[in-house]
Amino acid sequence: MKKGTLTRLAVLQQAEMIVAQDGFAKLTYNGLARQCGVKPQSLYRYVANIADVKSGVIGLYIQQLTESIEGQLHEESGQVALLHGAELFLTESQMGISFTDMIAGIVAFGDNEQVRSQIASLRALFRRYIAEITADQAHLTANEQLLFETFIGNIVLFNTHDLSIQEGVRIMRQNLARVLTLF
C-alpha cells in the first residue's frame, strides 16, 4: 500500500481480506501491519487495537452486505422483495467472511456502536418490506423477528449441511414463503 493512502477504511478493508481468506483467528495486528506495508505502531493512527479492527471488519461487512442487497431490491416490494432479499442474504453471506466468523463477530462485538448501527440498517431494510405485507401493524416487530430467525436458521442449516447454494436457496424460499403467509 502506498504511503499516504492509508486510512481507517483502507486498514479495515485489508483486515477484511485477511479474515475472508484465513478467518478471524488468523487476524493479528502484526500481520495486518505487514499486509498494509507499515509498522504495527503506525496502525494506531487508524485503529485503537485488534478489537477495534475486528469490530470494524464486522461493521464494514454488514454495511457492504446491506448496501448490496438494497441495491438489488430497489424496484421490488413486499413478499417478492423479502424472498429475493433473503436469497441475496444467503448467497452473499457465502462470499467473503465465512458465516461462522460473521456470527462469531456479531456475538463478540454486538455491543459495538458501529456493529449495532449496521445491524439496525440491515433490519430496517427488511422491515420496510415486512411492513408492506403485515396485515396488523401491531405484529410488525414480531413478524420482523420471525423472518430474521427463520432465514438465519436456514443459513445455519445451509452452512452445517452439504447443500449446493441452489438447494439452500430453494429450501429457504420454500420455508420463508410458508412463514410469510402468517403475516
Side-chain angles (χ1 to χ4, degrees), residues 3-161:
K3 199 172 188 174
T5 61
L6 202 57
T7 62
R8 177 177 173 81
L9 179 59
V11 169
L12 293 178
Q13 288 170 332
Q14 290 297 312
E16 184 180 26
M17 286 177 20
I18 293 169
V19 173
Q21 184 175 349
D22 300 320
F24 270 116
K26 300 284 181 162
L27 178 62
T28 66
Y29 215 70
N30 287 340
L32 178 57
R34 208 173 17 262
Q35 180 83 15
C36 292
V38 298
K39 295 181 191 276
Q41 59 270 29
S42 297
L43 287 180
Y44 288 110
R45 294 181 188 138
Y46 312 102
V47 291
N49 51 43
I50 196 67
D52 184 30
V53 172
K54 290 179 178 181
S55 63
V57 166
I58 290 296
L60 179 62
Y61 182 80
I62 296 169
Q63 176 186 355
Q64 293 166 343
L65 180 65
T66 302
E67 289 171 355
S68 177
I69 293 170
E70 186 170 33
Q72 295 178 66
L73 296 180
H74 68 280
E75 293 185 15
E76 297 177 7
S77 62
Q79 185 169 342
V80 170
L82 288 169
L83 291 172
H84 188 204
E87 178 181 332
L88 291 168
F89 192 97
L90 172 68
T91 56
E92 294 194 18
S93 69
Q94 302 309 303
M95 298 181 271
I97 298 175
S98 76
F99 183 72
T100 305
D101 274 335
M102 181 176 66
I103 294 300
I106 290 171
V107 169
F109 302 106
D111 61 342
N112 173 279
E113 180 56 38
Q114 180 188 5
V115 173
R116 277 197 324 263
S117 172
Q118 294 307 325
I119 290 171
S121 294
L122 178 63
R123 291 183 76 97
L125 169 63
F126 284 93
R127 185 179 182 91
R128 113 178 102 197
Y129 301 118
I130 295 167
E132 291 175 5
I133 66 168
T134 296
D136 181 351
Q137 293 298 302
H139 295 124
L140 181 59
T141 299
N143 288 348
E144 178 186 358
Q145 186 173 3
L146 178 60
L147 179 81
F148 271 94
E149 288 176 5
T150 301
F151 78 67
I152 295 295
N154 274 267
I155 293 171
V156 169
L157 172 71
F158 175 79
N159 280 278
T160 57
H161 291 76

